[in-house]
Amino acid sequence: MSETKTKKTGIGRIAAAAMIALLIAVAPGPLSSAGHAEDVPAGAGHAQAAPGQTAPSQTPPAQNPPAQAPANPPQGSQPASSQPDQNGQAAPADSGVAQVTADSINANVRANLAGIRSQLDAFRERVQRDSDDDGSLAELRVRAEEITAAMQETSARLKERETQIQERLTALGEAPKQGQPGEPPLVSQERGRLMNERAELNVVAENAASLSDSANQLGNTITNLRRNLFTRTLFRHTDMSSDLFIEAGQATKREVSNFARTISGWAGFVWNYKKYQLLGALVLSLGAGLLFLLGGYRVFARLIHRRVVGGEAPSYLRRLSVAFWSTVVETMSLAAFLICSYLFLDGFNVLRSDVSAMVASFFGFVWFIYFVWNLTSSVLAPADPDWRLVRITNRGARLLSLAVIAMAVVNGLDYLLGSVSEALNSPLIVTIAKSIIAAFVIGLIMIGLSFVKPIIAAGETADAQGHPWPRAARILLRLAGLLLILSVIAGYVGFARFVATQVVLTGAVTVLIYIGLLSGKAVSKQGAFKKTAAGTKLAERFKFGDVGLDQTGLLAGLSIYAFALVFGIPLILLTWGFQLTDIESWVYQFFTRITIGNISISIVSIFGGVLLFAAGYVVTGWIQKWIDGNVMARGQVDMGVRNSVRTGIGYLGVGLAALIGISAAGIDLSSFALVASALSVGIGFGLQNIVSNFVSGLILLVERPFKVGDHVITGATEGIVKRISVRATEIETFRKQSIIVPNSELINAPLGNWTHRNRIQRNEIPVSASYDADPHQVIEILLDLVKEVPEILRTPEPHVEFLRFAPSSLDFELRFHLADMDAGLRIRNQLRADILKAFRRAGIDIPFPQQEIVLHRGKPNWVPEKEEDPRGGA
């Protein structure tokens, strides 16, 4: 068995899972297979024929021709095709895939395509030879996809060049017909050269399309082979008989003796001839382990230590956080240490090929057991009930912990011993016998778990006897255990081994992801983050308020979600049969090329465009402040002019930043021309109002004459702004009626905003008193009542206005200001009641209008006599 295959199967897959999770979690970004970056075809003119990644014993792939045409020639070089046109001026140089003549295309591009064709032939041979190696097939499929992408890029470039040639031919015009005046010889030569180049481009484009189809077919073939290989491995049948175990026992004895000879021989050789290399590797490994241990505890001490302040039980959020981060940090630290140790041993040339595979499997086994043990201790906490995440008894926690760790040990030993057998070239029957025992034992443990009584009823403590599992859980455990045992008895050992692995490893990773999601959810709850240590530190050092802490908690929760998924999903995918190459390809495509229909989106490009736009926005703001504060302020420019200049610079800077960001994001600005032309036609046919409302909405959103929550009055509408969109604004009246007002009406009509600058409002209360009352006493009573209300502002100072001498009363008006206009109705009502009580106590009457009606009969045309006014008036 080859070393590569050994490392990608069995327990080595678990070590690889830890490594890829660590790499993706630390630096999520475009990944590529190590050693293959130079093998990726890059398109016409510079496509490299990727050599097959074969073992030394395999046939080397076809080499590329030495001739390579650069995709972009140095500027200033003039191609041989530049010819004068009809006016005697030099014709523009033909730009294309490589700006070369038809002969250059034939010599270089075709040579590259031939090299890629030979590469595909070599890949087909490797597919036939490695049809049983899933790792090799996965690598070949990725390489085929790279060739497909390169050929598509080549076709696009050739199509662009063909379009340029056609435009040039159109500019030259048709050749003169018979009997017409001839054209200059240079023009005829240019037309002939362009037509020959177009013919060559058509041939090359057909070859590129053919290669793309061939690469697609190869990829589909590999996918089908991998699917069939997985199915065969999973459902391979083994005849169960006593001879099988007798033969397996004899082979096991030979394997044990072979293992002892191999290890002793390797150890003796290393000690005699590579003692110092071994000691150096061990010292560096211990140093790396100490570094990871101290660094992890120093950086994440607050997250992984079970410390309780004041002797109180830890909160649910604290328990979740410690369980998740202690498991992740400690297992990732161990994975990094084991990987470094293996690299040191291999780098010092201490390991042989067979011993290397066994050491890698042993390291994976150690990491796997430690991961399951750490997760079990964090969730079940058999020795510390206060930190337990589930409501189970102490006895149930101990039994469940022992059962889970036992299943992990059995499953890990199965893969470890299987890797040893593969490295020693032992008979397959030995691995089958070990898998039979492992699956049978795990099935028995699961059936035994169904009889445990770990559940705590309401009101019981963790020391109680406990109650059985729910009926559904008991049935599920027993069915899973019976499935493993019956699969082994029926001879489907591969299926039983696969199910056992998913029960242990996938179950553990799923629990860890679930804990991470719960932790993120708990942190992002409103008001939860400020109770954490990080929230308290932010509030003390950076003076974060409740809103800032809640927003930070939401961001922290989303980050925990992403980290849990990035850490756990690769582990689950690897246990389900996917290869590291598959995951690397998906991650690379996710960040660099997401295809939706005919549109390709690159997250990396979009992120770069957003960063450029943000940088342009910041620079624009700085330029605005500098020009306003240093140029126009010193020149004593009028404030209106300063505001106009500042606003214009802002619009110009943001527009340029948007253009730069869009271009950097890979969005073709020429595509907006079609949209603009369609909009212009639509505007001409009746979209004026829609566009007017749209532009008005943009103005409202930028200038912000009012915002959501403001108290506005426009026309006959008065209410609170609930929503501002680009077409209309929703205003809710005080009778809870929603009125949708087009934005153009808000721009073109007067609009009153009670809360534009602040929420301060002046309130007036009209008061009338009888002519017998003393005005000074009335004013004093009103001001004394106002002073007793704390919500009323002292600046501006409240005052009373003596308005008029009414026919029946003396009219006053109490005026005061409130900091929040929403309190006006309540305070005015209270003041009116207090004024009435105070007037009654002071004996001041509040008159009401009186009219005397006199009816006279029998006297037509009667005119009432004038009576003398008792106050002396007529």
Side-chain angles (χ1 to χ4, degrees):
M1 299 293 177
S2 65
E3 179 185 355
T4 303
K5 185 175 180 180
T6 303
K7 293 181 181 178
K8 292 187 178 181
T9 56
I11 201 69
R13 186 187 298 276
I14 302 173
M19 181 175 65
I20 191 62
L22 176 63
L23 293 176
I24 295 177
V26 173
L31 301 175
S32 60
S33 300
H36 301 333
E38 71 279 5
D39 298 332
V40 180
H46 59 281
Q48 301 285 341
Q53 300 294 327
T54 58
S57 60
Q58 295 172 351
T59 304
Q63 300 295 327
N64 281 347
Q68 298 290 333
N72 296 305
Q75 294 182 0
S77 61
Q78 296 294 332
S81 59
S82 296
Q83 300 288 347
D85 60 6
Q86 295 151 331
N87 300 325
Q89 298 177 352
D94 292 321
S95 60
V97 177
Q99 291 188 351
V100 291
T101 62
D103 294 337
S104 299
I105 292 177
N106 187 44
N108 295 291
V109 179
R110 285 195 175 190
N112 290 326
L113 295 180
I116 293 176
R117 182 176 291 105
S118 63
Q119 178 182 343
L120 285 175
D121 294 337
F123 285 173
R124 292 190 184 93
E125 294 178 2
R126 287 188 60 188
V127 167
Q128 298 296 327
R129 183 172 61 252
D130 300 336
S131 59
D132 292 334
D133 189 348
D134 186 66
S136 178
L137 292 176
E139 178 188 345
L140 291 174
R141 184 184 60 81
V142 173
R143 305 282 291 282
E145 291 177 352
E146 292 170 352
I147 292 177
T148 301
M151 291 301 97
Q152 291 176 352
E153 182 180 358
T154 299
S155 299
R157 292 181 178 180
L158 294 175
K159 184 67 175 177
E160 180 182 356
R161 176 57 180 159
E162 184 180 358
T163 302
Q164 294 173 354
I165 292 174
Q166 184 61 43
E167 292 176 353
R168 181 61 179 157
L169 288 174
T170 304
L172 292 176
E174 297 182 359
K177 298 180 180 179
Q178 189 175 7
Q180 294 181 349
E183 60 183 359
L186 292 179
V187 176
S188 301
Q189 294 176 5
E190 176 73 3
R191 182 183 294 105
R193 187 192 63 78
L194 291 174
M195 295 183 67
N196 291 334
E197 184 178 354
R198 184 173 62 179
E200 291 289 339
L201 287 176
N202 291 332
V203 175
V204 175
E206 291 178 0
N207 292 334
S210 176
L211 286 177
S212 178
D213 294 339
S214 299
N216 275 328
Q217 293 176 3
L218 180 61
N220 295 333
T221 301
I222 293 174
T223 301
N224 294 330
L225 285 175
R226 294 185 65 192
R227 187 183 298 113
N228 295 333
L229 177 61
F230 179 77
T231 304
R232 290 199 314 269
T233 304
L234 194 63
F235 296 103
R236 180 180 298 166
H237 185 266
T238 302
D239 293 331
M240 304 297 295
S241 62
S242 58
D243 295 338
L244 183 145
F245 293 98
I246 294 174
E247 183 181 353
Q250 296 173 353
T252 302
K253 292 180 181 180
R254 294 192 297 270
E255 181 184 289
V256 171
S257 60
N258 190 14
F259 175 77
R261 287 195 305 271
T262 301
I263 296 299
S264 61
W266 168 76
F269 174 79
V270 170
W271 185 254
N272 292 326
Y273 299 100
K274 295 189 177 183
K275 181 187 304 183
Y276 297 107
Q277 291 92 327
L278 176 62
L279 293 177
L282 292 178
V283 170
L284 291 176
S285 299
L286 292 176
L290 187 62
L291 176 64
F292 288 122
L293 181 64
L294 295 179
Y297 274 91
R298 184 175 182 84
V299 176
F300 302 99
R302 292 179 176 270
L303 298 175
I304 62 180
H305 282 177
R306 296 183 176 183
R307 292 184 297 181
V308 180
V309 180
E312 299 179 355
S315 63
Y316 181 67
L317 175 59
R318 176 67 175 162
R319 285 181 287 162
L320 280 174
S321 178
V322 170
F324 178 72
W325 290 111
S326 63
T327 302
V328 171
V329 172
E330 293 177 0
T331 53
M332 287 180 65
S333 299
L334 179 63
F337 164 66
L338 293 175
I339 292 172
C340 289
S341 300
Y342 179 81
L343 293 177
F344 286 139
L345 292 173
D346 189 61
F348 280 92
N349 201 19
V350 175
L351 302 176
R352 285 193 327 225
S353 60
D354 51 351
V355 177
S356 175
M358 289 187 283
V359 170
S361 299
F362 177 73
F363 283 174
F365 170 76
V366 171
W367 178 87
F368 174 57
I369 299 302
Y370 183 78
F371 167 65
V372 175
W373 173 80
N374 203 328
L375 179 62
T376 304
S377 300
S378 300
V379 176
L380 300 179
D384 199 349
D386 290 338
W387 289 90
R388 194 170 297 156
L389 291 178
V390 291
R391 286 184 50 82
I392 58 176
T393 62
N394 293 333
R395 182 174 180 272
R398 289 192 295 269
L399 291 176
L400 289 178
S401 299
L402 291 175
V404 172
I405 295 174
M407 287 192 294
V409 170
V410 171
N411 188 255
L413 283 175
D414 178 23
Y415 281 95
L416 174 61
L417 297 177
S419 298
V420 171
S421 300
E422 189 174 357
L424 298 176
N425 291 324
S426 299
L428 182 61
I429 193 65
V430 178
T431 303
I432 293 176
K434 296 171 185 175
S435 299
I436 290 173
I437 297 174
F440 198 85
V441 171
I442 292 176
L444 291 178
I445 292 175
M446 295 184 67
I447 294 175
L449 280 178
S450 65
F451 295 97
V452 177
K453 299 179 180 179
I455 305 300
I456 297 178
E460 293 183 347
T461 62
D463 296 326
Q465 293 297 322
H467 301 275
W469 295 100
R471 183 178 179 84
R474 294 199 305 269
I475 294 175
L476 183 62
L477 285 172
R478 292 170 188 174
L479 287 178
L482 287 175
L483 177 64
L484 288 176
I485 295 174
L486 293 177
S487 299
V488 170
I489 294 174
Y492 293 101
V493 181
F495 176 75
R497 190 187 197 194
F498 179 79
V499 173
T501 302
Q502 305 318 312
V503 169
V504 180
L505 182 56
T506 304
V509 176
T510 303
V511 170
L512 180 62
I513 294 176
Y514 183 65
I515 294 174
L517 296 180
L518 288 180
S519 179
K521 181 180 179 181
V523 168
S524 59
K525 282 186 177 180
Q526 187 173 5
F529 184 73
K530 66 179 180 181
K531 300 177 182 178
T532 62
T536 304
K537 191 173 183 179
L538 289 175
E540 293 176 354
R541 176 172 295 185
F542 301 103
K543 306 302 180 184
F544 274 34
D546 291 342
V547 176
L549 289 175
D550 280 340
Q551 293 176 348
T552 306
L554 180 60
L555 180 62
L558 295 176
S559 301
I560 295 175
Y561 286 161
F563 184 83
L565 295 175
V566 169
F567 181 80
I569 290 179
L571 294 174
I572 294 178
L573 292 177
L574 288 169
T575 60
W576 280 81
F578 294 95
Q579 297 291 332
L580 292 176
T581 310
D582 297 323
I583 300 176
E584 292 174 0
S585 175
W586 295 337
V587 172
Y588 179 78
Q589 290 182 2
F590 177 77
F591 282 100
T592 59
R593 186 175 66 253
I594 300 176
T595 303
I596 303 176
N598 295 326
I599 301 175
S600 294
I601 301 174
S602 173
I603 292 182
V604 175
S605 300
I606 292 176
F607 185 70
V610 171
L611 289 180
L612 287 176
F613 174 77
Y617 186 83
V618 172
V619 171
T620 300
W622 179 82
I623 293 175
Q624 282 180 298
K625 292 181 180 179
W626 187 84
I627 292 179
D628 183 59
N630 294 276
V631 178
M632 292 186 291
R634 294 182 182 181
Q636 298 182 355
V637 181
D638 182 74
M639 288 299 298
V641 176
R642 291 173 59 181
N643 182 68
S644 299
V645 172
R646 187 170 57 250
T647 303
I649 293 174
Y651 286 148
L652 178 62
V654 172
L656 290 176
L659 290 176
I660 294 173
I662 292 173
S663 300
I667 300 175
D668 188 6
L669 295 177
S670 62
S671 60
F672 289 99
L674 180 62
V675 178
S677 61
L679 285 177
S680 62
V681 174
I683 293 172
F685 280 96
L687 295 179
Q688 297 94 335
N689 292 333
I690 295 178
V691 174
S692 175
N693 289 326
F694 178 79
V695 175
S696 300
L698 295 179
I699 295 174
L700 293 177
L701 292 174
V702 173
E703 293 187 355
R704 301 185 68 189
F706 56 85
K707 58 184 180 298
V708 174
D710 280 356
H711 181 177
V712 298
I713 301 175
T714 172
T717 302
E718 180 179 4
I720 305 299
V721 178
K722 290 298 182 181
R723 185 174 63 90
I724 304 173
S725 63
V726 294
R727 191 198 67 83
T729 298
E730 178 184 349
I731 300 176
E732 185 181 87
T733 66
F734 298 106
R735 299 177 66 182
K736 300 302 179 182
Q737 180 188 19
S738 293
I739 298 178
I740 309 301
V741 182
N743 289 329
S744 59
E745 295 185 9
L746 299 176
I747 291 292
N748 299 323
L751 181 140
N753 189 349
W754 285 98
T755 55
H756 181 48
R757 300 298 181 188
N758 50 57
R759 301 188 64 82
I760 297 177
Q761 183 190 41
R762 194 187 80 173
N763 289 260
E764 301 88 12
I765 299 179
V767 180
S768 298
S770 65
Y771 275 91
D772 296 333
D774 182 4
H776 296 286
Q777 183 183 10
V778 172
I779 294 174
E780 183 179 357
I781 290 174
L782 294 178
L783 292 178
D784 289 340
L785 291 176
V786 167
K787 292 178 181 178
E788 296 177 359
V789 182
E791 291 89 348
I792 295 178
L793 297 178
R794 300 299 178 257
T795 303
E797 184 179 3
H799 71 282
V800 178
E801 185 77 16
F802 192 164
L803 295 178
R804 68 182 66 84
F805 295 98
S808 304
S809 62
L810 302 176
D811 291 344
F812 302 86
E813 188 173 73
L814 174 61
R815 299 175 181 176
F816 56 89
H817 289 79
L818 295 175
D820 189 356
M821 62 177 295
D822 291 340
L825 181 62
R826 174 179 58 83
I827 292 176
R828 289 196 299 270
N829 288 340
Q830 183 63 38
L831 279 175
R832 291 188 183 101
D834 293 341
I835 290 171
L836 182 60
K837 293 179 182 179
F839 277 16
R840 287 175 179 175
R841 287 194 302 267
I844 299 176
D845 295 332
I846 299 177
F848 54 88
Q850 299 180 6
Q851 294 181 352
E852 183 177 353
I853 300 176
V854 180
L855 300 177
H856 297 272
R857 295 183 180 180
K859 294 183 178 181
N861 301 324
W862 173 81
V863 179
E865 297 180 358
K866 294 185 178 179
E867 297 182 359
E868 185 179 354
D869 193 325
R871 296 169 298 194

